Amino acid sequence: MSDESKATVRQYARNAYEQLGLPRLIIIAFLLSLFTLAVIMRMDLSILIKDSITRIGMNGILVLAMLPTLACGVGLNFGLPVGVIAGLVGAVTSMNWGLKGFAGFFAAMAIAIPLAVIAGYLYAMLLERVQGQEMMVGTYVGFSVVSGMCMFWLLAPYRNPAMIFALGGKGLRTTITLDRTFGKVLNDFLGFSIFDVYIPTGLLVFMGVFYVLIALFFKSKAGLAMRTVGSNPMYARSSGINVQRMRTLGVTLSTVLAAIGILVYSQSYGFVQLYTAPLTAAFPAVASVLIGGASLRKATIGHALIGTILFHTLLTIALPVTQTVLQGADISEIARMIMSNGMIIYALTRAERR
Amino acid sequence: MSEQSTAQVETPARGLGAGISSILRNWSVPIFFLAISIAGIAAARLDINYLINEVVGRFGRNAFLVISLIIPVMAGLGLNFGIVIGAMAGQTALVIVTHYRVEGLAGFMLATVISVPIAMLLGWLVGKTLNQAKGREMVTSMIMGFFANGIYQLVFLVLLGTLIPMKDPVLILRSGIGLRNTIDLIGLSYSLDRAMDWLWNGFVFTSIGATRLGPWRFPLCTLFIIAILCALTTFITRTKLGQEMRAVGQDMHIAQVAGINVDRTRIIAIMMSTVLAAWGQLIFLQNIGTFNTYSSHEQVGMFSVAAILVGGATTRRATIWNAIVGTLLFHTLFVVSPLAGQRLFGVSQVGEYFRSFLAYGVIAVALALHAWQGRASKSK
Amino acid sequence: MGNGNVLELKDITKSFFGTTVLKDVSLSMSPGEIHALVGENGAGKSTLMNILFGMQVIFDTGGFEGQVAVGGQAVTIDSPRKAMELGIGMVHQEFMLIPGFTVSENIKLNREPTVSNVASRLFGPKLETLNEPLMQSDSKAALGKLAVSIDEMALVGGMPVGHMQFVEIAREIDKKNVRLLVFDEPTAVLTESEASLLLAAMKRLSSEGIAILFITHRLDEVMEVADNITILRDGEVVSVMPRSEAKLDRIAQLMVGRKIERPVLPPRKSEPSDKDIVLKIENLKVDMPGERVRGLNLTVRRGEILGIGGLAGHGKVGIANGVIGMYPASGRVAKDGVQIPLNDPKHALLSGMAFVSEDRRGVGLLLDESIEMNIILTAMQVQGKFLKPGALPNLRLEDRAAVREHALTVIRDLDIRCTGPAQLVRRLSGGNQQKVCLGRAFTMEPEVLWVSEPTRGIDVGAKQLVLDLLVKFNREHGMTIVMTSSELGELRKICDRIAIVYRGQIAGVLPPDASDVDFGLMMAGKSATLEEVS
């Protein structure tokens, strides 16, 4: 190899490093080593891949919900549970009516979306007043909405016996199966197997449609205005853009995506999880988009997609692989905690250029 | 400056009317929660002796942790959700002391000593990180708590028994790797609370008129230590260091221009808070008597922050009285709400959910109100 | 140099990146002297102060030439701390006071007297207790020297500005061995009565032997208190005179005066006149911090280049920002007789105006976006240009081809030096960034263009290019231009008329070839023989 081509290679490597950044390199290396381990331990790769694909499809829209708030400058939407709760109310109400299959799923969406618009709008109004502290306030608004809703689940007038606590007969169950309603409607739609890997076509297509729609949105007049507000509010103001309206739109859009996201998640999971389960809903989504390469100032569709793939593949295969290797000790939960929170700290402490 | 802003300048309260209104303004939050507490007590028809006994015990258990939040607020770092990291340092010391079977007050004292270097190191790391995230300290400290929890579990669940050699059938799981989920602290239980019982056993029996009061039991020595901590915190504010912290807390730029080492001062504040939190967690655990290895520390940050906010503190102003009043009120609510939920809705769980709703909600409202006011005063 | 002078600056020369900002500047002050340093913005006053206080920026840019002596001793001042130790104090223009601290806590900030105690003996001096009685008595004494009655226990937050100024001064004179105080535009934020109190206090201090270097624009104040006056222009000392020999109009002329070579500008078909007014501004008030506009009236003729000049802080920059809607404004602005709603940038832009901000990086650009995005975004958002057809107006997609084509045209027309329209604006030089800002405004095809400080912070060659562009668009497209600038020279080069702003109002409108004295006096608030331009 000539010196010159060595230099180009080095340059290329440096560019790749700068593009990816240290955290992503670590995660990719970790992921590769897990796969290598899986191969060495002669594990069934097709199951790992199938599970990973399903997990990606399940979480894709929840991660996508991070983009609008990042784009409009509000930051990481730790208040994602606000939208998740709207989605859950939709799911539970649709189930209460006993709707099945796609009818149930779309009825849940039809109820969830208007609720999410209202909740998101109110949440946006609040965030508008606490500019600079959005992330902290968002976190605790999310927490308090979730714990407030715990009382709602307990006292709300849902009567469908399949959903009520078996004993005592008051309040919704903590996990409700979707077997007889809209469980896996998307996953099973046009699903097929290839090399023993099951492809949940409907799930992936549904997720894909939302990614394309959001990508188009960011190329539209309103989407560009939103991005402008995020990268320089003063420039936006001097371009006649209503900064506050754009932030409100961003937060509301994020909340609506969260509501749809949790419905997709629940139908794939097969259960609706109520009470304290949505408390931590925001963290995997936040971590994913950051792992994908987003920063507090810049986030693209690509970041969301790559982040979802990396983070959720990792989570899916970490558990079985480490369990096989370490014989029982489960470090996947620990790895999730360290990695996702480490990623968030990395993003929070990176100096912002101005 | 516009006429508007000069017109709104607060004049020092003079006269009784102004005095009362300023008390109402400064203490409106605690007064509000006092009202809720009283309503809850009435609704639950609670035995007052039970309540007092319970609240006094909980006060002794928690107050130290709550007071450990004051110094970072003074230094402008906001509410230090990172005290969970201090709590982990305290628990690490506790594991060591338990392993070597040092018991009683001596064991407790040894644990406090061991926890100091650990907490100082961790506090230094937290402080360093927070200096990289100026303006986002609270959210960063909260996430650091979660992150540290991951590391803590990695160390005690995976590395202990593998990389870190330790054989102790009492502490280690049967597989030989990792700590047990609960550790009994029989040797240390009440070691501090009852250390001064030779003076007075702490029991109160009395009666006022026809109402019998008691029996309550005071954790005498712990209360004494808390009093010392209050005095120390007050002392710090009167020193050169305290003055520098206050200056940094009010305006980093001006402090820097005046020649104060801003970053160093902030790190010292966080280190102090972390060490105090470690001690606070030790006090908490010796009172409880058992120790959930992987969860005892998790809620420490949130509950302490909620308590001091209930006491009327803000992210920029917190006093010892906020901490004391807040701890008492918050734990009164804590005791009352499940019972009130049972009485009112027939489901005690409602009360339990209400309790966590309260804790989260208080923090959300306090943070939102403060950010709101901060913006309003800036835009003037 | 052992002549007992408090301060002796000798042949100070300083350049930044090849541009000389100070050239052979000398200045000497004896004890108790009040020495006024006057000059326009950019004359080099702040650089001189940065040298005197050993600011880091001086050493980061290669140091300076010349000697500094304090009290007859040659010294090297390499840090603000060193300056303090030598007894030089500074009264900042922006107050360095902590609002939540009392007056005495502020005066003693980081210089608190302390008492040792048990803890401090164990853990070090940081834990020494504050000596509060001493803090208070020292503060009282310092305030007493200024002959003002301010309660040293009161909180600074919410005090009148004048009082804050005094606290700031008290802090400086409380420092031990202080012998020279620098006052940087101390009266700029004060009311008339507060200002006269301050001048009295300055005289008191000088009678106690403290020398004062008084930096100001207000010539009447100079005449009132200064013993000697140094006039700085373009980094050079043009004159030093005792007050007895000074005259107001002479100072004004020296401050401003320089040879202006007004290039021959291309002719127009018809000259703009008062018969054809495009914009009429009445009683405009703008609440822009530091640049307040207080009830200003101005008319703009169609097709002219109107210059707005004046000293910093008098509100010239606030006018454009208020009319466009960047800062809260009130009053009446009518274009072609139709009133434009204020505080609404969208309407202002829709009515045929465009704005190039003085804050290029803060307002003018999206630094991490491409050149083309920066150029087209405003036109897209306001006028709906560069969008593909679609049913929902807000969801119409960007027309990439049209954007690219237009961006290439602008890059060619304005000669933006770049690797292509997709390059990030952050990577461009200041001059090219400014051209992108102009391109953004020209894309709007405005009838009236507001340009603020178009040449600030760009190199000399680029300055001329930017001015040429403005003239070109004015002549070729009949675009009316209102240009705000701190550089009177460039206003006189290309403007048809120049309005001078003083204290938030128009002091007068002058032709570009009016005398230096007229400009100087008008900027200093002394209206001389005003000839209204015909």
Side-chain angles (χ1 to χ4, degrees):
Chain A
M1 207 189 273
S2 70
D3 276 359
E4 203 170 293
S5 66
K6 258 186 210 159
T8 4
V9 168
R10 205 173 301 138
Q11 184 62 37
Y12 187 77
R14 187 174 304 140
N15 279 350
Y17 173 79
E18 274 170 13
Q19 279 276 305
L20 285 168
L22 187 63
R24 247 166 314 293
L25 282 180
I26 293 175
I27 283 155
I28 292 172
F30 192 56
L31 194 57
L32 287 179
S33 57
L34 281 177
F35 263 111
T36 321
L37 273 176
V39 173
I40 295 171
M41 303 301 285
R42 291 166 193 281
M43 295 175 66
D44 189 349
L45 277 185
S46 61
I47 292 184
L48 292 183
I49 293 173
K50 179 206 131 199
D51 285 352
S52 300
I53 291 177
T54 314
R55 279 288 288 270
I56 291 165
M58 273 165 88
N59 288 284
I61 296 179
L62 284 172
V63 178
L64 191 64
M66 283 294 145
L67 288 188
T69 50
L70 282 171
C72 71
V74 170
L76 297 163
N77 184 10
F78 284 105
L80 205 66
V82 176
V84 167
I85 289 287
L88 291 177
V89 173
V92 170
T93 311
S94 149
M95 286 160 74
N96 196 43
W97 292 339
L99 296 172
K100 292 186 181 11
F102 274 110
F105 182 70
F106 287 117
M109 266 178 66
I111 299 160
I113 290 172
L115 282 178
V117 169
I118 296 168
Y121 182 78
L122 294 175
Y123 175 48
M125 294 286 97
L126 175 68
L127 290 189
E128 189 59 33
R129 284 168 175 75
V130 300
Q131 259 179 47
Q133 292 291 326
E134 289 103 337
M135 287 190 273
M136 198 64 208
V137 174
T139 310
Y140 275 90
V141 167
F143 285 171
S144 30
V145 166
V146 170
S147 50
M149 284 303 284
C150 286
M151 292 184 271
F152 173 81
W153 305 130
L154 211 53
L155 302 172
Y158 291 112
R159 293 288 171 266
N160 193 328
M163 297 155 56
I164 306 291
F165 268 122
L167 300 169
K170 199 158 190 192
L172 293 168
R173 297 180 192 183
T174 27
T175 35
I176 309 171
T177 172
L178 293 171
D179 278 355
R180 264 168 284 165
T181 50
F182 56 86
K184 301 208 188 294
V185 281
L186 289 176
N187 291 39
D188 293 345
F189 183 71
L190 295 180
F192 61 93
S193 286
I194 178 167
F195 302 122
D196 288 342
V197 176
Y198 182 78
I199 305 291
T201 316
L203 181 67
L204 294 184
V205 168
F206 195 81
M207 170 181 153
V209 166
F210 274 88
Y211 271 68
V212 170
L213 283 179
I214 295 295
L216 283 176
F217 172 74
F218 281 118
K219 292 199 182 309
S220 73
K221 185 182 167 198
L224 285 170
M226 192 182 280
R227 264 174 55 188
T228 309
V229 168
S231 56
N232 184 352
M234 291 300 279
Y235 179 104
R237 185 169 165 76
S238 72
S239 291
I241 296 169
N242 187 331
V243 173
Q244 186 185 341
R245 193 185 298 157
M246 277 303 142
R247 284 185 203 267
T248 309
L249 181 63
V251 174
T252 312
L253 186 60
S254 173
T255 308
V256 169
L257 285 173
I260 298 170
I262 194 67
L263 288 173
V264 174
Y265 180 96
S266 300
Q267 68 78 30
S268 177
Y269 187 56
F271 297 94
V272 167
Q273 296 170 291
L274 302 178
Y275 298 96
T276 54
L279 211 52
T280 52
F283 294 95
V286 168
S288 301
V289 77
L290 293 177
I291 284 172
S295 70
L296 294 185
R297 300 204 70 84
K298 192 145 186 137
T300 65
I301 293 282
H303 293 151
L305 190 62
I306 295 171
T308 313
I309 294 173
L310 280 180
F311 189 59
H312 287 284
T313 311
L314 194 75
L315 289 192
T316 319
I317 67 171
L319 176 66
V321 172
T322 54
Q323 263 181 345
T324 318
V325 177
L326 299 175
Q327 271 125 37
D330 171 18
I331 74 154
S332 70
E333 176 61 15
I334 297 175
R336 183 191 66 75
M337 260 196 271
I338 294 179
M339 234 164 348
S340 59
N341 293 308
M343 199 63 229
I344 300 172
I345 294 172
Y346 176 81
L348 287 173
T349 51
R350 257 196 305 180
E352 281 174 35
R353 294 192 298 180
R354 179 67 248 165
Chain B
M1 204 176 276
S2 69
E3 294 92 310
Q4 257 184 335
S5 62
T6 36
Q8 289 192 355
V9 168
E10 281 181 41
T11 45
R14 293 196 206 287
L16 191 62
I20 289 173
S21 78
S22 94
I23 287 175
L24 279 178
R25 193 170 54 237
N26 286 333
W27 292 92
S28 56
V29 178
I31 289 170
F32 171 73
F33 283 104
L34 183 66
I36 296 192
S37 299
I38 293 172
I41 294 168
R45 272 170 274 153
L46 205 62
D47 174 24
I48 204 78
N49 280 317
Y50 166 77
L51 178 72
I52 292 175
N53 196 31
E54 199 64 14
V55 169
V56 168
R58 283 167 167 275
F59 176 80
R61 203 187 285 164
N62 290 288
F64 202 98
L65 281 164
V66 178
I67 294 170
S68 77
L69 291 169
I70 293 174
I71 288 176
V73 171
M74 202 167 83
L77 288 140
L79 298 161
N80 180 18
F81 285 81
I83 60 169
V84 266
I85 296 172
M88 289 176 212
Q91 288 175 187
T92 308
L94 210 53
V95 170
I96 296 171
V97 170
T98 316
H99 177 61
Y100 291 107
R101 307 285 188 280
V102 191
E103 298 188 341
L105 190 61
F108 182 82
M109 299 300 283
L110 184 61
T112 54
V113 173
I114 295 174
S115 67
V116 171
I118 307 174
M120 280 177 74
L121 175 69
L122 295 177
W124 181 77
L125 287 171
V126 175
K128 274 284 203 199
T129 314
L130 293 188
N131 277 342
Q132 297 288 310
K134 288 188 181 129
R136 293 191 286 265
E137 288 95 348
M138 280 193 279
V139 70
T140 310
S141 71
M142 181 180 75
I143 302 287
M144 285 202 83
F146 297 152
F147 178 76
N149 195 21
I151 303 281
Y152 176 89
Q153 296 203 3
L154 182 73
V155 170
F156 286 111
L157 203 54
V158 180
L159 299 185
L160 204 66
T162 51
L163 279 183
I164 307 167
M166 180 160 146
K167 285 205 171 61
D168 188 334
V170 181
L171 292 179
I172 303 276
L173 287 167
R174 210 163 293 158
S175 64
I177 302 173
L179 281 183
R180 284 175 189 278
N181 281 334
T182 39
I183 292 174
D184 210 328
L185 300 174
I186 298 175
L188 291 174
S189 181
Y190 297 123
S191 55
L192 183 69
D193 285 357
R194 296 184 182 172
M196 279 165 76
D197 282 10
W198 48 271
L199 270 177
W200 168 45
N201 65 11
F203 275 106
V204 176
F205 288 103
T206 180
S207 52
I208 299 171
T211 5
R212 203 176 64 84
L213 288 179
W216 327 320
R217 180 163 192 149
F218 284 91
L220 202 62
C221 189
T222 305
L223 294 183
F224 178 67
I225 296 287
I226 290 168
I228 290 180
L229 178 66
C230 292
L232 269 178
T233 309
T234 316
F235 166 74
I236 294 277
T237 59
R238 299 268 162 81
T239 62
K240 178 83 183 80
L241 180 66
Q243 191 75 356
E244 288 181 4
M245 284 178 181
R246 285 178 58 217
V248 169
Q250 294 244 349
D251 193 314
M252 276 192 262
H253 175 61
I254 294 176
Q256 186 92 52
V257 170
I260 296 170
N261 188 335
V262 170
D263 283 1
R264 185 159 176 274
T265 309
R266 285 160 54 99
I267 291 177
I268 292 175
I270 288 289
M271 283 171 75
M272 283 182 157
S273 170
T274 313
V275 171
L276 291 181
W279 292 351
Q281 183 73 353
L282 289 172
I283 293 176
F284 180 86
L285 291 174
Q286 62 85 32
N287 178 277
I288 301 260
T290 55
F291 153 34
N292 293 318
T293 325
Y294 303 111
S295 59
S296 279
H297 53 276
E298 275 183 339
Q299 306 280 45
V300 160
M302 197 212 23
F303 284 150
S304 305
V305 166
I308 203 166
L309 290 174
V310 166
T314 68
T315 52
R316 298 192 59 84
R317 223 184 89 85
T319 64
I320 287 165
W321 289 109
N322 294 140
I324 292 173
V325 171
T327 313
L328 286 172
L329 279 176
F330 185 72
H331 285 281
T332 306
L333 283 168
F334 222 88
V335 175
V336 168
S337 50
L339 296 159
Q342 175 74 44
R343 292 269 182 194
L344 292 176
F345 300 98
V347 195
S348 69
Q349 262 181 322
V350 173
E352 269 167 42
Y353 289 133
F354 179 71
R355 196 154 82 174
S356 52
F357 173 63
L358 201 75
Y360 292 131
V362 162
I363 300 179
V365 169
L367 292 175
L369 271 183
H370 186 69
W372 196 334
Q373 285 162 355
R375 254 167 63 76
S377 66
K378 207 183 280 177
S379 68
K380 244 188 276 165
Chain C
M1 286 194 277
N3 47 17
N5 276 349
V6 179
L7 178 70
E8 184 91 39
L9 300 175
K10 204 152 181 250
D11 300 334
I12 304 282
T13 299
K14 167 72 191 161
S15 55
F16 284 110
F17 311 108
T19 325
T20 305
V21 289
L22 287 177
K23 196 169 169 232
D24 294 335
V25 172
S26 298
L27 191 150
S28 67
M29 290 174 69
S30 53
E33 173 184 344
I34 300 183
H35 195 117
L37 183 64
V38 296
E40 272 189 291
N41 303 113
K45 292 170 301 185
S46 44
T47 309
L48 195 61
M49 289 309 108
N50 284 342
I51 289 175
L52 186 57
F53 283 92
M55 299 307 266
Q56 195 57 41
V57 59
I58 298 296
F59 300 98
D60 290 346
T61 51
F64 65 96
E65 290 161 43
Q67 288 99 45
V68 181
V70 175
Q73 302 281 315
V75 289
T76 315
I77 302 177
D78 49 11
S79 70
R81 186 165 203 92
K82 184 74 186 286
M84 198 180 100
E85 282 163 8
L86 287 170
I88 308 175
M90 172 84 158
V91 178
H92 296 271
Q93 203 172 354
E94 317 144 30
F95 301 129
M96 287 295 173
L97 297 175
I98 294 180
F101 273 22
T102 64
V103 168
S104 82
E105 282 174 320
N106 267 299
I107 290 178
K108 286 291 186 181
L109 184 61
N110 207 25
R111 297 183 301 108
E112 297 91 349
T114 53
V115 183
S116 79
N117 57 41
V118 185
S120 72
R121 276 181 216 121
L122 282 173
F123 298 108
K126 287 269 178 199
L127 288 181
E128 285 180 356
T129 340
L130 301 181
N131 187 346
E132 286 174 38
L134 187 58
M135 283 168 68
Q136 283 150 26
S137 60
D138 277 3
S139 308
K140 223 186 174 97
L143 289 166
K145 275 191 199 168
L146 297 171
V148 286
S149 58
I150 297 175
D151 180 6
E152 74 278 1
M153 296 298 286
L155 286 184
V156 163
M159 273 189 166
V161 187
H163 285 194
M164 291 193 196
Q165 181 79 278
F166 280 113
V167 174
E168 184 100 10
I169 299 168
R171 181 172 67 201
E172 295 308 314
I173 60 175
D174 179 61
K175 289 176 182 167
K176 276 189 215 104
N177 75 23
V178 66
R179 46 188 167 183
L180 169 63
L181 275 182
V182 178
F183 283 68
D184 185 8
E185 305 252 10
T187 54
V189 287
L190 302 185
T191 62
E192 303 257 344
S193 60
E194 285 170 339
S196 62
L197 271 176
L198 178 80
L199 296 179
M202 283 168 71
K203 283 184 185 160
R204 262 181 88 89
L205 288 176
S206 87
S207 70
E208 292 189 16
I210 297 176
I212 291 175
L213 185 58
F214 182 30
I215 302 175
T216 187
H217 293 311
R218 296 196 181 167
L219 299 185
D220 44 355
E221 289 171 359
V222 171
M223 297 302 287
E224 196 179 329
V225 296
D227 298 315
N228 290 298
I229 302 161
T230 293
I231 300 159
L232 213 55
R233 189 177 72 211
D234 293 339
E236 287 181 71
V237 175
V238 288
S239 177
V240 183
M241 56 178 98
R243 181 184 39 186
S244 50
E245 293 171 17
K247 283 215 174 62
L248 213 57
D249 49 359
R250 173 99 185 103
I251 302 177
Q253 188 187 12
L254 285 167
M255 238 168 83
V256 180
R258 59 175 72 93
K259 271 186 218 139
I260 301 292
E261 290 156 26
R262 187 173 159 92
V264 183
L265 298 172
R268 297 186 177 91
K269 273 178 219 145
S270 62
E271 285 301 305
S273 79
D274 270 338
K275 286 179 192 119
D276 192 6
I277 296 295
V278 62
L279 209 61
K280 194 171 172 66
I281 299 170
E282 286 171 297
N283 195 23
L284 179 72
K285 291 182 181 147
V286 184
D287 190 15
M288 179 175 177
E291 289 282 348
R292 285 209 162 67
V293 180
R294 306 158 202 266
L296 170 143
N297 299 309
L298 184 67
T299 51
V300 184
R301 299 169 180 171
R302 190 182 310 282
E304 75 171 336
I305 303 182
L306 174 65
I308 299 182
L311 294 165
H314 284 276
K316 65 175 183 301
V317 181
I319 303 170
N321 277 292
V323 171
I324 291 294
M326 295 300 289
Y327 286 93
S330 65
R332 276 185 308 281
V333 176
K335 181 170 167 291
D336 297 320
V338 183
Q339 192 143 333
I340 298 170
L342 289 170
N343 305 314
D344 181 356
K346 184 153 190 166
H347 266 93
L349 298 172
L350 271 176
S351 62
M353 298 199 288
F355 172 52
V356 176
S357 170
E358 70 288 347
D359 184 358
R360 193 162 61 228
R361 295 167 73 84
V363 181
L365 293 171
L366 299 167
L367 288 169
D368 291 311
E369 297 282 353
S370 63
I371 295 174
E372 54 188 357
M373 192 52 73
N374 272 280
I375 289 175
I376 59 102
L377 202 111
T378 310
M380 173 198 276
Q381 294 297 331
V382 175
Q383 299 165 329
K385 290 178 180 171
F386 310 108
L387 289 170
K388 287 180 184 161
L392 297 165
N394 279 323
L395 291 179
R396 286 166 62 193
L397 296 181
E398 167 194 23
D399 186 347
R400 296 282 316 144
V403 168
R404 180 54 59 92
E405 191 192 328
H406 178 77
L408 287 171
T409 318
V410 171
I411 288 172
R412 195 183 58 234
D413 287 355
L414 305 194
D415 190 24
I416 301 172
R417 302 290 164 84
C418 58
T419 57
Q423 191 179 14
L424 296 191
V425 164
R426 186 185 288 284
R427 305 256 155 82
L428 298 179
S429 70
N432 282 310
Q433 286 182 344
Q434 187 64 22
K435 287 184 205 160
V436 172
C437 290
L438 287 173
R440 173 190 172 198
F442 292 151
T443 303
M444 302 277 296
E445 296 173 342
E447 291 170 57
V448 179
L449 176 65
W450 293 85
V451 193
S452 297
E453 306 285 4
T455 64
R456 182 189 278 174
I458 65 182
D459 61 66
V460 184
K463 278 184 182 180
Q464 192 54 50
L465 282 174
V466 166
L467 296 180
D468 290 348
L469 274 174
L470 292 174
V471 173
K472 182 179 155 203
F473 271 79
N474 173 259
R475 296 300 194 270
E476 288 176 11
H477 301 271
M479 194 183 283
T480 310
I481 295 177
V482 186
M483 168 168 150
T484 310
S485 177
S486 300
E487 291 194 32
L488 196 54
E490 70 185 30
L491 292 177
R492 293 169 86 176
K493 263 187 196 168
I494 68 164
C495 294
D496 298 292
R497 301 185 300 157
I498 298 167
I500 299 296
V501 179
Y502 180 77
R503 292 204 164 180
Q505 294 182 332
I506 299 288
V509 181
L510 295 170
D513 51 3
S515 73
D516 294 342
V517 182
D518 288 347
F519 276 114
L521 286 176
M522 204 176 261
M523 284 161 88
K526 294 277 161 213
S527 43
T529 47
L530 280 190
E531 308 164 56
E532 192 53 39
V533 194
S534 55

